[in-house]
Amino acid sequence: MRTTPLPGIGVQYDLTTREHRNLSVIAHRDGTRTVSLYRADDPDACAESLHLTGPETASLIDALMPAHHSPNVLHTTDLGLVAERVELSAHSHWNGRVLGETRMRTETGVSVVAVLRRAEARPSPAPDFRLAGGDTLILIGTREGVDAAAAILGRE
């Protein structure tokens, strides 16, 4: 499966099945999902696309994987906070720069609570932590703040 951040939109997941069928799911930041299945004879042509509401998505996830948690949205509380994973592109403006240069906390109120790199996790990275393409940042903040932080991180 290939994961592609779509700044300001969400995350796209692309999968090729063992039967060589292409499937794409866009996890929109508002909780909805778009599921697209591509034609077998032309993998670039969409055969069917389905837009699911948040509750429909939850029902489908429960059917596919009971006792789940979404790999993108880690937790939502009644306080209005979300924790989300955002992958840094290899082409990102921030690749090779230090975290503090993003001014993410100042601009969005969002905290980077960890950075995942390959098989390692760096909890509570300091402002002098150097970012690299392929890093996954774990962000916590309001929905609006996380969306703004994802847009900052998506800058190329």
Side-chain angles (χ1 to χ4, degrees), residues 19-22 37-47:
E19 296 172 344
H20 304 290
R21 296 295 306 269
N22 293 329
L37 178 65
Y38 295 85
R39 291 182 19 196
D41 63 331
D42 183 356
D44 293 324
C46 185

Side-chain angles (χ1 to χ4, degrees), residues 20-117:
H20 304 290
R21 296 295 306 269
N22 293 329
L23 177 72
S24 176
V25 177
I26 297 177
H28 298 272
R29 297 199 175 283
D30 65 1
T32 63
R33 302 291 189 262
T34 302
V35 180
S36 301
L37 178 65
Y38 295 85
R39 291 182 19 196
D41 63 331
D42 183 356
D44 293 324
C46 185
E48 189 73 34
S49 188
L50 179 65
H51 191 75
L52 301 173
T53 65
E56 291 167 338
T57 299
S59 295
L60 179 59
I61 290 171
D62 283 337
L64 293 172
M65 194 169 150
H68 73 282
H69 77 278
S70 168
N72 192 40
V73 178
L74 301 173
H75 186 65
T76 303
T77 70
D78 292 334
L79 299 174
L81 297 176
V82 296
E84 189 165 321
R85 299 170 184 250
V86 175
E87 185 175 340
L88 192 69
S89 163
H91 304 290
S92 172
H93 170 77
W94 307 110
N95 186 5
R97 296 176 184 245
V98 296
L99 180 60
E101 288 182 52
T102 68
R103 298 184 38 83
M104 196 172 334
R105 188 182 328 219
T106 302
E107 301 294 327
T108 68
V110 168
S111 294
V112 177
V113 297
V115 175
L116 310 177
R117 182 177 290 162

Side-chain angles (χ1 to χ4, degrees), residues 4-10 29 147 150-155:
T4 306
L6 303 173
I9 297 169
R29 297 199 175 283
D147 287 346
I152 288 170
L153 292 170
R155 181 176 163 201

